[in-house]
Amino acid sequence: MSETTASLLPGQDVLETAETWAREGRLTALATVIETWGSAPRPVGSHLVIDSDGQFEGSVSGGCVEGAVITEALDVIESRVPKILEFGVADETAWRVGLSCGGRIRVYVEPLGGATL
Amino acid sequence: MDVTLLQELNQARAARRAVMLVTHLDTGAQRLIHRGDVAETDPLAEEAGKRFLSGKSGLFSDADGAELFLTVHLPPPRLVIIGAVHISKALVPMAQLAGFDVRVIDPRGAFATEARFPAELLHADWPEDVLAQHPLDPYTALAAVTHDPKIDDFPLEQALRTGCFYVGALGSRKTHGKRVERLLAAGLSEAQIQRIDAPIGLSIGAASPAEIAVSVLASIIAALRLPAETR
């Protein structure tokens, strides 16, 4: 029973939202937590979906780094090239955001629906 | 991710089938592995088997040293409540908030009304009929709360045979004693019957129906999250 599979409330499933947005023709990116060290707030496998207007659903960190992930996701939506982001104390100067809990996370950001473009 | 692949992933999840997304982090290439449909020659067959048991997503280096990310999707936990009673009225919204997909089954028309429960989760039929259409599975918890053996016994037996991750039954110790005798007579083993949470719920001194619902939900979450030996 993975804790990443249960959504908070019915109708708030991030991957279903991602499919709906992609079908509506919205340009979107999907961010996934792929690795965590220390006390990271969201488990590996957590998703955040972002569209080209900066609207988003889901979470990868409980609010600490979402802003930076969204900014990077807008680049990914434009370039159609996936990228890996790393956040944490060690990267504070590089990203100017960090996890207040002291943990570190790695996030994979990929374009959605690339094949249809 | 390709939209067609995302659709296939979401369809498997909607149908309560376990599925794993494989992503090559260097190339961005992706594919799906469905539980129970893995080719023996698949280089990820062994790893997929482990992941489907643990439910844990994570990184994996394949034989060529390429970095893969495996996203494991097990079906979300479901709660089947036998009995559209007062406790159920409180348990339904609580369990939904906690992320459970909830169903209520009760053949008694006076209890199973759409005025009392949301129509989309209510089945006003005998458990025998409803469970034939919507079978139980190991990702499901079952709570039998009607007090009526004619209604509760069949789904309890099914839940134990299916390996539902939680099986609870309302009733006093005396009532449960008689229930154990009936289940033994039905051919269940003592080990199977011991899995029943009875008296139902975590011992928190619950008095009102809503408090009992809290204690039942707490027991269900413990069964879901804690290893068996620590409960």
Side-chain angles (χ1 to χ4, degrees):
Chain A
M1 244 49 60
S2 159
E3 54 189 324
T4 59
T5 53
S7 58
L8 262 180
L9 285 167
Q12 291 192 349
D13 184 283
V14 178
L15 291 179
E16 275 172 26
T17 300
E19 188 183 332
T20 305
W21 286 8
R23 287 185 182 289
E24 287 170 2
R26 289 156 80 168
L27 299 173
T28 53
L30 182 69
T32 308
V33 177
I34 58 169
E35 202 170 9
T36 65
W37 298 264
S39 57
R42 297 288 288 130
V44 167
S46 300
H47 292 299
L48 178 71
V49 60
I50 307 101
D51 79 358
S52 54
D53 292 334
Q55 296 198 61
F56 66 95
E57 257 192 58
S59 76
V60 290
S61 75
C64 317
V65 300
E66 264 72 5
V69 173
I70 290 162
T71 305
E72 293 295 323
L74 295 176
D75 278 353
V76 168
I77 288 171
E78 204 155 290
S79 69
R80 316 304 295 170
V81 179
K83 62 166 86 166
I84 294 174
L85 314 174
E86 196 170 323
F87 299 99
V89 174
D91 304 283
E92 220 162 2
T93 48
W95 292 106
R96 295 181 186 193
V97 288
L99 298 168
S100 52
C101 51
R104 281 199 295 149
I105 61 172
R106 229 167 29 123
V107 179
Y108 181 71
V109 186
E110 62 186 305
L112 268 180
T116 57
L117 284 182
Chain B
M1 195 191 314
D2 185 72
V3 176
T4 316
L5 194 71
L6 178 58
Q7 183 186 12
E8 188 186 337
L9 171 61
N10 279 341
Q11 280 173 349
R13 293 166 66 238
R16 294 180 67 78
R17 292 197 308 268
V19 66
M20 184 170 93
L21 175 71
V22 182
T23 304
H24 279 253
L25 293 181
D26 292 338
T27 65
Q30 291 172 316
R31 68 181 175 110
L32 283 180
I33 296 181
H34 293 265
R35 187 179 197 173
D37 186 24
V38 190
E40 277 178 40
T41 51
D42 191 315
L44 287 176
E46 192 190 334
E47 183 65 18
K50 287 186 208 160
R51 297 273 175 177
F52 282 133
L53 281 181
S54 72
K56 287 210 188 309
S57 300
L59 294 167
F60 181 72
S61 295
D62 74 5
D64 305 324
E67 196 178 27
L68 309 178
F69 183 69
L70 309 175
T71 320
V72 185
H73 296 275
L74 299 185
R78 172 176 285 173
L79 169 61
V80 173
I81 305 170
I82 307 298
V85 299
H86 214 137
I87 294 171
S88 318
K89 282 193 74 171
L91 184 53
V92 166
M94 289 179 193
Q96 285 181 321
L97 275 172
F100 288 85
D101 169 18
V102 184
R103 302 286 161 93
V104 176
I105 304 174
D106 196 324
R108 301 168 299 179
F111 289 86
T113 67
E114 290 178 16
R116 289 161 51 81
F117 290 90
E120 66 274 12
L121 56 78
L122 185 64
H123 299 270
D125 278 307
W126 286 90
E128 283 84 339
D129 299 327
V130 180
L131 296 183
Q133 295 290 319
H134 308 276
L136 300 170
D137 62 37
Y139 307 107
T140 298
L142 183 124
V145 293
T146 70
H147 273 125
D148 184 342
K150 288 197 303 299
I151 303 172
D152 283 349
D153 276 13
F154 176 81
L156 283 172
E157 195 186 322
Q158 288 296 306
L160 294 173
R161 291 194 195 279
T162 312
C164 285
F165 75 86
Y166 171 88
V167 185
L170 190 70
S172 66
R173 282 173 212 283
K174 192 178 157 197
T175 307
H176 187 61
K178 289 183 190 162
R179 182 185 291 132
V180 170
E181 285 171 24
R182 291 193 305 274
L183 292 173
L184 281 171
L188 287 158
S189 72
E190 280 189 29
Q192 282 177 311
I193 295 169
Q194 270 174 8
R195 288 197 53 229
I196 299 178
D197 180 29
I200 199 167
L202 203 67
S203 180
I204 55 172
S208 69
E211 289 177 8
I212 295 168
V214 169
S215 80
V216 172
L217 187 57
S219 278
I220 293 170
I221 291 169
L224 179 65
R225 301 294 181 203
L226 294 177
E229 62 273 15
T230 63
R231 293 202 294 272

